[in-house]
């Protein structure tokens, strides 16, 4: 659970508000009878920072965390009674960041040991999002065993993907807490979050910089990157295009290959690259979906 909560803390620190975050958690650790520190979740044995705390908003928890609900959130196929706070309110100007973590294997990820989502399921959900104009770009990140197989079936445009381990590889745990008796975070996510601590809202670090930070010796497995579906050069895509929110400037300092030039309308407003950005994030067991929108 600390994997997802650590990523949640990071995107919030970089400017994504809870109103634009959908957090999905099995939520079976903080109040587990084995947890000596009731109501708390830590990512290191020193317990310097309680990731659970009082400042999180969980949108789907426990039995609500299902493959069906996850697919419905992505595709927008929701019952009318579902509140806006549980919906992914994206459009064709939204960059979406999806983070997943948990127990998995070749082309599948378990949901609370009750069911599985496959690489085909996610690929088809992304295609539905594309057809329904629910994203501009997607950045997909997953930390699980054989993680890179989960993005092997993607076929929709404008998707960038990365994972913690190759086919046949495990994804390893990190930071064992002997008082609780379990490891509290996974290596890939730990070193990802460690790198992200050096990123602020105005950072010019790119996705290429992020991927260059991968250290196989520390992570213990071979992270992968898939960029053939992604139109922009990785050294032109800012990390904060997916992880952060900054609505005080135009998003033209890293223009996409496919973006039109900015033109002034007669009333003085701007076309082309739209103003600012909107965001959203989804967590799941350990899943995050975030969008960055560029409309006025």
């Amino acid at each position: 659970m600390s994997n997802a909560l650590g990523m949640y803390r990071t995107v919030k620190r970089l400017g994504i508000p809870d109103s634009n975050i959908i957090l999905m958690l099995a939520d079976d650790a903080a109040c587990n009878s084995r947890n000596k520190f009731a109501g708390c979740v830590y990512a290191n044995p020193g317990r310097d920072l309680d990731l659970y705390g009082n400042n999180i908003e969980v949108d789907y928890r426990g039995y609500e965390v299902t493959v069906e609900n996850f697919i419905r959130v992505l595709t927008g196929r929701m019952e009318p009674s579902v509140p806006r706070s549980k919906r992914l309110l994206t459009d064709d100007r939204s960059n979406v960041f999806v983070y997943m973590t948990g127990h998995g294997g070749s082309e599948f990820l378990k949901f609370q040991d009750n069911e599985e989502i496959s690489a085909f399921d996610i690929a088809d959900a992304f295609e539905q999002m594309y057809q329904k104009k629910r994203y501009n770009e997607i950045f997909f990140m997953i930390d699980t065993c054989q993680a890179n197989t989960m993005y092997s079936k993607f076929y929709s445009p404008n998707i960038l993907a990365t994972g913690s381990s190759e086919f046949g590889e495990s994804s390893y745990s990190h930071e064992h807490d002997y008082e609780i008796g379990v490891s509290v975070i996974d290596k890939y996510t730990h070193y990802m979050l460690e790198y992200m601590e050096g990123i602020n809202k105005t950072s010019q670090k790119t996705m290429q910089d992020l991927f260059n930070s991968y250290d196989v010796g520390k992570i213990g497995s071979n992270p992968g990157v898939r960029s053939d579906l992604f139109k922009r050069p990785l050294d032109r895509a800012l990390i904060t295009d997916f992880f952060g929110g900054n609505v005080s400037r135009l998003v033209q300092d890293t223009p996409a290959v496919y973006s039109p030039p900015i033109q002034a309308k007669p009333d003085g407003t701007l076309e082309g690259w739209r103003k600012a950005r909107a965001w959203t994030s989804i967590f799941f067991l350990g899943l995050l979906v975030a969008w960055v929108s560029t409309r006025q």
Side-chain angles (χ1 to χ4, degrees):
M1 199 163 93
S2 60
N3 285 3
L5 290 174
M7 200 68 69
Y8 173 75
R9 172 184 174 272
T10 294
V11 296
K12 284 188 66 175
R13 178 180 63 82
L14 292 175
I16 298 181
D18 268 315
S19 60
N20 286 24
I21 295 174
I22 301 174
L23 177 59
M24 304 178 82
L25 290 175
D27 211 9
D28 56 357
C31 297
N32 190 291
S33 59
R34 292 178 59 193
N35 185 0
K36 182 178 179 180
F37 307 95
C40 301
V41 175
Y42 299 99
N44 62 73
R47 295 179 288 279
D48 302 316
L49 177 66
D50 179 11
L51 295 174
Y52 203 71
N54 298 316
N55 193 31
I56 68 166
E57 295 183 13
V58 182
D59 299 289
Y60 293 80
R61 72 171 77 232
Y63 292 115
E64 292 183 305
V65 180
T66 64
V67 172
E68 178 182 349
N69 280 344
F70 173 53
I71 297 297
R72 286 186 178 277
V73 168
L74 288 180
T75 60
R77 298 176 180 272
M78 313 291 285
E79 296 292 335
S81 60
V82 176
R84 287 175 60 88
S85 63
K86 290 192 172 188
R87 296 173 183 259
L88 188 67
L89 303 175
T90 53
D91 58 25
D92 61 352
R93 297 172 181 179
S94 303
N95 285 359
V96 179
F97 170 44
V98 180
Y99 171 81
M100 303 184 77
T101 186
H103 295 294
S106 179
E107 299 181 3
F108 74 88
L109 181 72
K110 288 186 176 182
F111 274 41
Q112 305 191 74
D113 289 330
N114 293 324
E115 55 182 343
E116 299 170 354
I117 191 169
S118 74
F120 294 95
D121 295 329
I122 300 175
D124 289 343
F126 285 170
E127 176 62 17
Q128 287 189 52
M129 292 178 70
Y130 174 69
Q131 295 294 338
K132 297 171 71 174
K133 301 184 185 300
R134 287 178 61 78
Y135 75 86
N136 172 52
E137 295 173 335
I138 289 177
F139 176 42
F140 177 82
M141 177 185 291
I142 182 165
D143 186 355
T144 187
C145 295
Q146 307 187 69
N148 303 349
T149 64
M150 288 298 290
Y151 55 72
S152 62
K153 305 305 178 184
F154 292 174
Y155 56 93
S156 306
N158 298 343
I159 298 178
L160 175 64
T162 187
S164 61
S165 53
E166 294 179 341
F167 172 73
E169 281 189 330
S170 296
S171 189
Y172 295 100
S173 59
H174 188 66
E175 298 281 19
H176 190 83
D177 188 326
Y178 289 94
E179 288 198 60
I180 299 176
V182 297
S183 296
V184 293
I185 196 169
D186 290 327
K187 285 180 178 288
Y188 174 82
T189 296
H190 169 81
Y191 289 110
M192 172 65 63
L193 295 175
E194 185 176 78
Y195 180 84
M196 291 300 297
E197 283 298 302
I199 304 298
N200 58 36
K201 296 177 183 179
T202 60
S203 174
Q204 296 300 300
K205 292 288 187 180
T206 67
M207 300 305 290
Q208 188 63 67
D209 294 323
L210 177 64
F211 299 144
N212 288 345
S213 74
Y214 288 171
D215 187 328
V216 174
K218 290 181 177 180
I219 296 172
S221 56
N222 290 275
V225 176
R226 182 178 176 190
S227 60
D228 59 300
L229 300 171
F230 195 65
K231 291 184 178 179
R232 288 199 284 169
L234 298 185
D235 60 0
R236 301 294 298 277
L238 293 182
I239 292 173
T240 53
D241 285 349
F242 295 98
F243 282 87
N246 183 352
V247 298
S248 64
R249 60 180 175 84
L250 292 173
V251 191
Q252 66 182 75
D253 46 5
T254 55
V257 173
Y258 51 88
S259 64
I262 295 177
Q263 297 178 347
K265 292 182 178 180
D267 63 359
T269 59
L270 298 177
E271 289 184 326
W273 265 100
R274 285 75 59 185
K275 275 188 180 179
R277 303 181 292 176
W279 336 223
T280 295
S281 304
I282 298 178
F283 285 85
F284 204 55
L285 308 165
L287 178 152
L288 170 79
V289 181
W291 80 75
V292 178
S293 191
T294 54
R295 64 183 171 198
Q296 292 184 359

